[in-house]
Amino acid sequence: MTLVKAQARRAVRSVSRTYGRWTAGSRLAPDFLIVGAQRCGTTSLFKTLSQHPAVLPAVYHKGVHYFDTGYDRGMDWYLGHFPTVRRAESVREQVGVRGVTGESSPYYMFHPLAGERIAKDLPGVRLLVLLRDPVERAYSAHTHEAARGFETEGFERALELEQERIAGERERLLADPTAHSHHFQHNAYLTRGQYVEQLERLESIFGRDRLHVIDADDFFAEPRPAFDAVCDFLGLPHWADISFGKHNARSRSPMDAALRARLEEHFAPYDERLSAWWGRVPSWRR
């Protein structure tokens, strides 16, 4: 994309968001949020859901990042990203249910304040969570962050630095709601894969019935039953005309076998707790 085109797109988005803020009172609040985990297929699920005629996704981009890094912008700014109530009601004629809307911001699951903020502002929202092998997730996240310029160290060195980088950052974010943490958001490769800790926190805030957890490997291997289960969770009719695909993947070299073994050992106790919490053994431990 040329610089001129990029600037034009940003200008259009700025005007549209301003209009959205002015019309916030007529707009839908999200019915669902895909809250994580990062690099676990959130983009693919969002693009798949967006094909359903009853799903009216957030405009501009899949992730608004309001409840983690944009909360100071205010609720009117946030609602400006979503379609109008009138448009949602017009969906009934085609599908038989009111249209629903949502967004996908995978930092929500990990940010220490996002859960409470979501519960306060969206008391009826439903949360979707995707999980994958945390070893692969960590390696994928490192590749992703390096490609975006948010990581300068190699994978093994970044893992060595992780605890030093994020030490005290969770507490700082809790103490100062306006704070941001580069390392906590972009470089917590192992900690973000300790899924059960995050799920237990979300359950304590929202209850189990408003959480739907999807095994990403199962979703990509057999997408139809996994997608139908998501539709059931969101109260949507099953829809046949859906194209399934894998989006936002990044190529990378194979991981060193010894390093993989060490990481699998690190995650073993967390995966055991996850199995007990979830009531099923995740695909990467079967």
Side-chain angles (χ1 to χ4, degrees):
M1 182 185 299
T2 67
L3 177 60
V4 172
K5 287 183 178 179
Q7 290 174 334
R9 286 186 62 179
R10 285 195 293 269
V12 170
R13 287 177 177 177
S14 177
V15 171
S16 298
R17 284 170 178 150
T18 299
Y19 176 74
R21 186 185 293 113
W22 290 343
T23 59
S26 65
R27 293 181 178 272
L28 289 177
D31 301 277
F32 70 88
L33 298 174
I34 302 174
V35 298
Q38 181 206 35
R39 306 303 296 166
C40 289
T42 57
T43 299
S44 297
L45 179 61
F46 184 78
K47 287 182 177 293
T48 303
L49 261 176
S50 297
Q51 297 175 53
H52 195 295
V55 176
L56 308 173
V59 294
Y60 317 124
H61 42 70
K62 79 179 181 78
V64 182
H65 285 284
Y66 173 63
F67 294 104
D68 45 27
T69 60
Y71 200 60
D72 59 320
R73 296 175 179 269
M75 195 65 175
D76 283 352
W77 176 88
Y78 183 56
L79 293 176
H81 288 77
F82 298 98
T84 63
V85 173
R86 177 180 295 181
R87 186 178 172 205
E89 288 296 337
S90 71
V91 170
R92 288 187 190 274
E93 296 180 8
Q94 179 187 2
V95 186
V97 296
R98 192 205 73 165
V100 301
T101 192
E103 54 127 338
S104 173
S105 297
Y107 190 30
Y108 288 168
M109 179 170 165
F110 190 59
H111 191 283
L113 290 174
E116 287 82 358
R117 290 169 173 173
I118 293 168
K120 179 175 73 72
D121 293 341
L122 303 175
V125 76
R126 292 180 174 270
L127 306 184
L128 294 164
V129 175
L130 291 104
L131 305 178
R132 70 185 287 200
D133 180 349
V135 177
E136 288 296 327
R137 194 221 71 82
Y139 197 25
S140 175
H142 177 270
T143 302
H144 181 67
E145 301 296 359
R148 297 197 298 165
F150 296 143
E151 177 59 82
T152 58
E153 302 287 349
F155 184 48
E156 289 196 63
R157 179 57 178 158
L159 297 180
E160 292 172 357
L161 290 171
E162 179 171 335
Q163 289 309 308
E164 176 185 337
R165 282 172 157 181
I166 69 171
E169 291 297 89
R170 184 176 188 276
E171 292 73 19
R172 185 171 70 85
L173 291 170
L174 287 169
D176 179 3
T178 67
H180 298 277
S181 172
H182 174 93
H183 288 314
F184 200 78
Q185 182 174 0
H186 298 292
N187 309 130
Y189 306 109
L190 298 182
T191 312
R192 289 183 77 155
Q194 295 162 190
Y195 303 129
V196 68
E197 298 175 333
Q198 299 156 66
L199 290 168
E200 288 174 344
R201 186 174 72 250
L202 290 177
E203 181 184 20
S204 72
I205 298 169
F206 296 94
R208 192 65 170 269
D209 62 337
R210 287 169 59 196
L211 285 173
H212 183 72
V213 183
I214 305 153
D215 190 305
D217 288 333
D218 290 346
F219 174 62
F220 289 120
E222 293 187 73
R224 173 54 66 180
F227 182 71
D228 286 347
V230 170
C231 290
D232 291 339
F233 177 68
L234 297 179
L236 302 176
H238 293 186
W239 205 259
D241 189 18
I242 298 291
S243 175
F244 299 103
K246 197 168 187 177
H247 302 273
N248 206 26
R250 292 186 184 272
S251 61
R252 56 189 185 276
S253 59
M255 190 186 306
D256 175 77
L259 176 59
R260 179 183 293 277
R262 292 201 303 273
L263 295 183
E264 288 177 349
E265 183 179 2
H266 169 85
F267 286 117
Y270 299 102
D271 289 345
E272 184 176 354
R273 285 173 54 195
L274 173 64
S275 296
W277 181 91
W278 201 358
R280 56 178 289 184
V281 178
S283 59
W284 59 92
R285 291 290 179 178
R286 292 177 198 155

